[in-house]
Amino acid sequence: MEDGAEEDRTRENRGCDGTDRQSHTSPCTSLRIFLVALSFAYFAKALSGSYMKSTITQLERRFDIPSYLIGVIDGSFEIGNLLVIAFVSYFGAKLHRPKIIAMGCVLMSIGTFIIALPHFIIGRYEYETSVRWDENSTLSPAPCRAGLPAELTQDGKRLQEQSTDCESESNLSMWIYVLLGNVLRGIGETPVQPLGISYIDDFTTEENAALYVGCVQTISVVGPVFGYLLGSLCAKIYVDIGFVKMESITITPADSRWVGAWWLGYLIAGVITLLSAIPFWFLPRSLPVPGPHIQRKGNKEEKGFMKDPPHLKQKYTANEHTSFVEMAKDFIPTLRTLLAHPVYLVYLCVTVIQLNSLIGMVTYKPKYIEQHFRQSASKANFLMGVINIPAVALGMFSGGLLMKRFKLNIMGAAKFAFSTSLIGYVLSMFFFAMSCENAKVAGVTLSYDSIDKISYDKHSVFAACNKDCVCSSNEWDPVCGVNGITYLSPCLAGCSTYAGSGKHTVFSNCSCVGFGSNLTANTGQCLDKDDCDSMFPYFLALSVITSFIISLGGTPGYMLLIRCIKPELKSLALGFHALATRTLAGIPAPIYFGAIIDTTCLKWGQKKCGGIGACRIYNTTAYRIAYLGLTLSLRTVSFIICIPGFILLGRQLKKEERDAMHGALSNGGTELEALRKEECVILNSDQPLHSPEDGTDRHTRL
């Protein structure tokens, strides 16, 4: 009766995976809450990260810095990861994982708020303009000023104005706060991925692990959709909205001097990240381990991937309270064992190189759309959010479903991920054919004398038509002449008079325009982009297709990393993989991609006290070759490394299959010998005084 009652109680305490319930909370409920909480945390961190990438051009213009420096700011997130990820991954697996994730989310939120802090400290954004916004104002002089008064410098700026500008420009070093905030955000993000994924894989069954990870990864890709949409919305709003009269703003979002309300999105993202920390504080440290999961950890394929040396016995479970010193003693031996595995090392090299390509491409893709196809920052971010990112999310989710549907093993997952990446690589080559001519800018892409042929040779911004004007060669205040040519400023266009105010200002008597008797120019750069508009839809379509195909291999590739290692090394392997990709891909890729992009700049903005600022216009042909060429070259190298990887993986699987068969035969012989010995012992101990019933019992035991 007692055994039957105990069995009934056990059956009542079974969870959703067939595990025993804890005394207070069902493990099924706790696991579901953890999945929802982790998905929301992934969403929050992905939203913040994608919003950072959507504000690249806004930060460049606001702080007047080149692309490589923006790459340093973007890579500072990975620096934060680098500082703590190995220790968080190793020691975090022994401690309360949900609470460590909660603390990380709080740190991410604080870092996001710090990024927005400079907006509230520095002064209002001032851009170069010769346009007056008040019709009754007479402060703006004529664009073309004759003569050279003593108080003007060689580039046309007044000495008094220049010294005042230099005093206020010191505030622009506040971009360092953006960098520090991003470092803190990277530190906070560290425990979310390795501890979250290992927690799921530890407390769920094998058949559900891939699906759950696929769902979490999919949510993490949905986050950038909202991140880029938020970036699109904020890019339309002027940076100093609420602090200046919008009637006084003489530029539009399509202007290269426009800066959107970049700070507003960081405040929103910080609040969302803070909310994501709340559920983790109430989750248990561990859940009962499901029976099928224990069996999976002993299967022959996984055992073969990592031998079990004496020091790798799982001394510390998630429920044990061990000292920091005891855990630290095993760190170096465990790490040495992990790095001794050739398949893991090849996988590490391939993913590092591919992530260099992916991170560099994604970081500057909105900027590429802006500069190459002459789209506004708002439109570029919107298209990234509603077209490109959903294709990636669908691809990753479909990859998880296909892996579960076809029950792919390690080799099958590796082949699937390689095939999808290779197909996407071939399709990406067609991007080179989708070219767009550069804008016609006098003195930059064409000379004043030959206004029909675009050339990227060095041109002079001074010509006979503006020789009597006192102009600055560094100024960027573009106007569009009726001849379809953009001039760097009304002064360099030779305009002597103007009418109207603000965005509706019309400059007249422009000696350099020279289009019959109509010598007028309007504010802003010329928007003649028919060739770009016809090519842009094809670029978007191909971008969606390649993104979907490449992302199909995302989940199988990630599961390959999880399944090729021993369970007790899972958190460390995930953490070290993240450490390597952060160090060798996340940090350098945005920097050297940005530096190479900077080499294609045709016209730099000029800081008020000297030195280059943000680039105003690029050589689109050189930009396309540098951006796409570097992306595809890195992926080519990764494919070459895959060849020895497949050879090593195949040899390892064959060796382990032979060892498993030999082990099965040995175990069978050992069991038979033990059975025979037991039979001999029983027969030898038989006494004739025993009753026939005893003989029957002995026969039953045999």
Side-chain angles (χ1 to χ4, degrees):
M1 293 294 292
E2 291 180 1
D3 293 341
E6 182 66 27
E7 185 178 350
D8 291 340
R9 284 193 297 269
T10 302
R11 188 180 297 109
E12 290 174 1
N13 290 332
R14 292 287 176 183
C16 57
D17 283 332
T19 59
D20 291 341
R21 295 179 186 272
Q22 291 178 333
S23 58
H24 299 290
T25 307
S26 163
C28 179
T29 303
S30 297
L31 182 61
R32 288 173 179 171
I33 294 174
F34 184 84
L35 282 172
V36 173
L38 186 65
S39 298
F40 188 52
Y42 263 66
F43 171 83
K45 76 183 185 69
L47 184 146
S48 300
S50 59
Y51 183 76
M52 163 65 76
K53 296 187 183 300
S54 74
T55 58
I56 278 180
T57 54
Q58 311 296 313
L59 295 175
E60 280 185 17
R61 297 167 186 173
R62 182 63 185 95
F63 298 107
D64 218 9
I65 53 180
S67 294
Y68 84 89
L69 198 50
I70 281 292
V72 174
I73 294 176
D74 187 71
S76 63
F77 174 84
E78 317 298 347
I79 294 176
N81 269 263
L82 173 63
L83 294 175
V84 296
I85 192 167
F87 299 98
V88 168
S89 300
Y90 182 74
F91 296 112
K94 321 293 182 181
L95 305 174
H96 198 304
R97 283 178 281 188
K99 287 188 177 180
I100 294 177
I101 295 174
M103 289 187 286
C105 291
V106 172
L107 285 178
M108 274 197 293
S109 176
I110 295 173
T112 308
F113 290 135
I114 292 177
I115 293 176
L117 183 63
H119 172 75
F120 302 96
I121 301 177
I122 61 178
R124 303 290 168 252
Y125 174 58
E126 297 179 3
Y127 53 89
E128 300 167 298
T129 183
S130 57
V131 177
R132 59 187 177 90
W133 65 274
D134 188 355
E135 292 185 355
N136 298 322
S137 174
T138 58
L139 296 177
S140 299
C144 178
R145 292 164 290 176
L148 184 63
E151 68 270 17
L152 292 179
T153 62
Q154 286 186 345
D155 66 351
K157 283 193 174 184
R158 296 179 182 274
L159 293 174
Q160 184 178 0
E161 292 177 358
Q162 196 174 40
S163 61
T164 304
D165 291 341
C166 287
E167 292 176 2
S168 62
E169 195 181 54
S170 60
N171 289 328
L172 295 181
S173 60
M174 298 295 288
W175 62 264
I176 295 176
Y177 282 91
V178 179
L179 185 145
L180 295 177
N182 212 29
V183 170
L184 186 59
R185 197 171 66 84
I187 294 175
E189 190 265 353
T190 303
V192 177
Q193 178 174 332
L195 300 188
I197 296 297
S198 64
Y199 192 92
I200 290 176
D201 200 58
D202 281 344
F203 305 120
T204 187
T205 56
E206 178 184 1
E207 59 269 18
N208 289 328
L211 182 61
Y212 289 163
V213 172
C215 290
V216 173
Q217 296 278 24
T218 301
I219 296 298
S220 72
V221 182
V222 172
V225 173
F226 292 89
Y228 279 108
L229 290 179
L230 181 62
S232 175
L233 175 64
C234 294
K236 290 182 180 179
I237 305 172
Y238 187 66
V239 60
D240 291 323
I241 184 73
F243 298 96
V244 297
K245 293 182 179 180
M246 292 306 298
E247 297 81 9
S248 65
I249 307 304
T250 60
I251 55 177
T252 65
D255 197 290
S256 61
R257 294 165 292 174
W258 176 272
V259 176
W262 59 274
W263 53 273
L264 180 60
Y266 286 111
L267 295 181
I268 297 173
V271 172
I272 294 174
T273 308
L274 187 61
L275 293 176
S276 70
I278 297 175
F280 291 105
W281 294 108
F282 305 99
L283 287 167
R285 176 173 180 163
S286 63
L287 299 174
V289 181
H293 190 76
I294 297 175
Q295 294 173 7
R296 178 177 73 80
K297 293 182 180 181
N299 66 48
K300 63 180 181 181
E301 184 180 40
E302 191 170 85
K303 281 182 179 179
F305 268 85
M306 198 68 71
K307 295 296 181 183
D308 227 351
H311 62 266
L312 283 184
K313 292 179 181 178
Q314 196 169 4
K315 291 194 258 183
Y316 318 113
T317 63
N319 290 319
E320 292 180 357
H321 296 276
T322 55
S323 68
F324 182 86
V325 176
E326 287 178 312
M327 292 186 292
K329 288 179 180 178
D330 275 352
F331 179 73
I332 298 299
T334 305
L335 182 61
R336 188 184 300 116
T337 303
L338 178 66
L339 297 180
H341 194 274
V343 175
Y344 180 78
L345 282 181
V346 171
Y347 180 89
L348 201 62
C349 292
V350 170
T351 52
V352 162
I353 296 174
Q354 289 224 351
L355 281 174
N356 267 274
S357 173
L358 178 64
I359 292 172
M361 184 267 291
V362 172
T363 300
Y364 293 100
K365 191 168 187 178
K367 183 182 177 72
Y368 179 77
I369 293 175
E370 290 178 51
Q371 299 297 331
H372 193 274
F373 295 99
R374 298 202 280 278
Q375 305 293 329
S376 67
S378 176
K379 186 175 181 179
N381 291 328
F382 178 80
L383 292 173
M384 283 286 291
V386 301
I387 296 180
N388 218 69
I389 303 300
V392 175
L394 181 61
M396 295 192 73
F397 184 71
S398 300
L401 289 179
L402 289 173
M403 187 174 182
K404 183 179 181 181
R405 171 68 178 80
F406 296 106
K407 295 181 172 60
L408 297 178
N409 58 13
I410 293 178
M411 180 62 79
K415 290 180 178 179
F416 185 83
F418 178 81
S419 300
T420 55
S421 183
L422 184 61
I423 295 172
Y425 170 81
V426 174
L427 291 176
S428 297
M429 292 183 177
F430 290 97
F431 284 125
F432 283 103
M434 298 178 179
S435 60
C436 184
E437 285 293 334
N438 212 333
K440 296 180 179 179
V441 182
V444 179
T445 61
L446 46 82
S447 65
Y448 277 81
D449 299 328
S450 178
I451 62 174
D452 296 327
K453 184 178 180 181
I454 291 181
S455 170
Y456 300 112
D457 297 331
K458 288 290 183 179
H459 300 294
S460 174
V461 295
F462 299 106
C465 59
N466 58 27
K467 65 179 181 179
D468 295 330
C469 304
V470 181
C471 306
S472 169
S473 61
N474 297 322
E475 193 174 14
W476 179 263
D477 183 21
V479 293
C480 179
V482 292
N483 57 355
I485 306 297
T486 299
Y487 297 87
L488 297 185
S489 68
C491 181
L492 290 172
C495 303
S496 57
T497 60
Y498 61 91
S501 62
K503 302 173 186 177
H504 306 290
T505 301
V506 177
F507 297 92
S508 306
N509 298 325
C510 303
S511 56
C512 294
V513 174
F515 192 74
S517 59
N518 189 357
L519 305 178
T520 62
N522 298 313
T523 58
Q525 194 171 339
C526 294
L527 300 178
D528 182 19
K529 52 178 183 174
D530 293 338
D531 58 330
C532 295
D533 290 341
S534 62
M535 187 62 68
F536 192 50
Y538 296 102
F539 171 82
L540 291 178
L542 184 60
S543 179
V544 169
I545 294 172
T546 54
S547 298
F548 173 77
I549 293 176
I550 293 174
S551 60
L552 275 174
T555 301
Y558 199 78
M559 294 307 297
L560 169 64
L561 171 61
I562 295 177
R563 297 287 167 80
C564 74
I565 51 177
K566 295 295 290 182
E568 58 267 28
L569 293 172
K570 193 183 308 172
S571 291
L572 180 61
L574 290 171
F576 190 82
H577 175 264
L579 171 67
T581 54
R582 271 10 178 223
T583 307
L584 303 176
I587 296 174
I591 298 175
Y592 67 75
F593 263 81
I596 291 176
I597 289 172
D598 283 339
T599 62
T600 67
C601 184
L602 294 174
K603 175 62 180 176
W604 287 100
Q606 196 73 14
K607 291 184 177 180
K608 297 171 183 177
C609 302
I612 62 172
C615 185
R616 301 303 187 186
I617 187 172
Y618 290 88
N619 178 340
T620 55
T621 302
Y623 194 142
R624 182 176 69 256
I625 294 174
Y627 175 73
L628 298 177
L630 185 56
T631 300
L632 295 179
S633 297
L634 289 169
R635 291 170 65 185
T636 302
V637 175
S638 71
F639 291 142
I640 296 174
I641 299 177
C642 282
I643 297 174
F646 277 110
I647 295 174
L648 289 171
L649 183 58
R651 288 178 178 176
Q652 185 74 26
L653 290 176
K654 289 180 181 179
K655 179 179 180 299
E656 296 307 325
E657 187 177 351
R658 290 194 302 268
D659 292 346
M661 292 178 62
H662 183 268
L665 292 174
S666 300
N667 290 336
T670 304
E671 290 175 2
L672 183 59
E673 183 66 25
L675 190 60
R676 287 175 178 172
K677 289 181 178 179
E678 183 180 358
E679 183 179 2
C680 292
V681 170
I682 293 172
L683 291 175
N684 291 333
S685 62
D686 249 349
Q687 301 295 332
L689 297 176
H690 286 176
S691 64
E693 288 81 0
D694 294 335
T696 304
D697 291 341
R698 287 194 294 270
H699 180 73
T700 303
R701 288 171 58 194
L702 289 174

